[in-house]
Amino acid sequence: MAYKRIPAVGDIHGMYDKLIALMEKIRFKPEKDLLAFRPMYERMGKPHQYLVQKE
């Protein structure tokens, strides 16, 4: 399936209401769009460094 849009969202810190408001603002359509989340794992220190790999 080819998505029409792939909006990316940073770490939401549990702010569900703001996430829903953002989805409404951008008129997110799950049948056409893919919502990508970008967590802050690169700032969590050594135990989580394996999540970021440079090739």
Side-chain angles (χ1 to χ4, degrees):
M1 170 184 203
Y3 293 102
K4 184 174 180 179
R5 300 180 306 160
I6 305 176
V9 178
D11 198 344
I12 60 172
H13 298 285
M15 296 185 179
Y16 176 81
D17 294 335
K18 289 189 177 189
L19 175 62
I20 297 303
L22 173 67
M23 292 171 70
E24 290 172 356
K25 183 175 183 175
I26 66 170
R27 297 182 180 155
F28 177 74
K29 305 252 185 284
E31 64 277 1
K32 295 180 181 180
D33 303 331
L34 173 68
L35 188 58
F37 290 91
R38 186 193 173 281
M40 297 186 322
Y41 54 77
E42 75 277 5
R43 292 189 280 173
M44 291 181 156
K46 289 184 179 183
H48 300 284
Q49 285 182 344
Y50 68 90
L51 294 172
V52 180
Q53 296 179 3
K54 295 181 182 179
E55 296 185 32

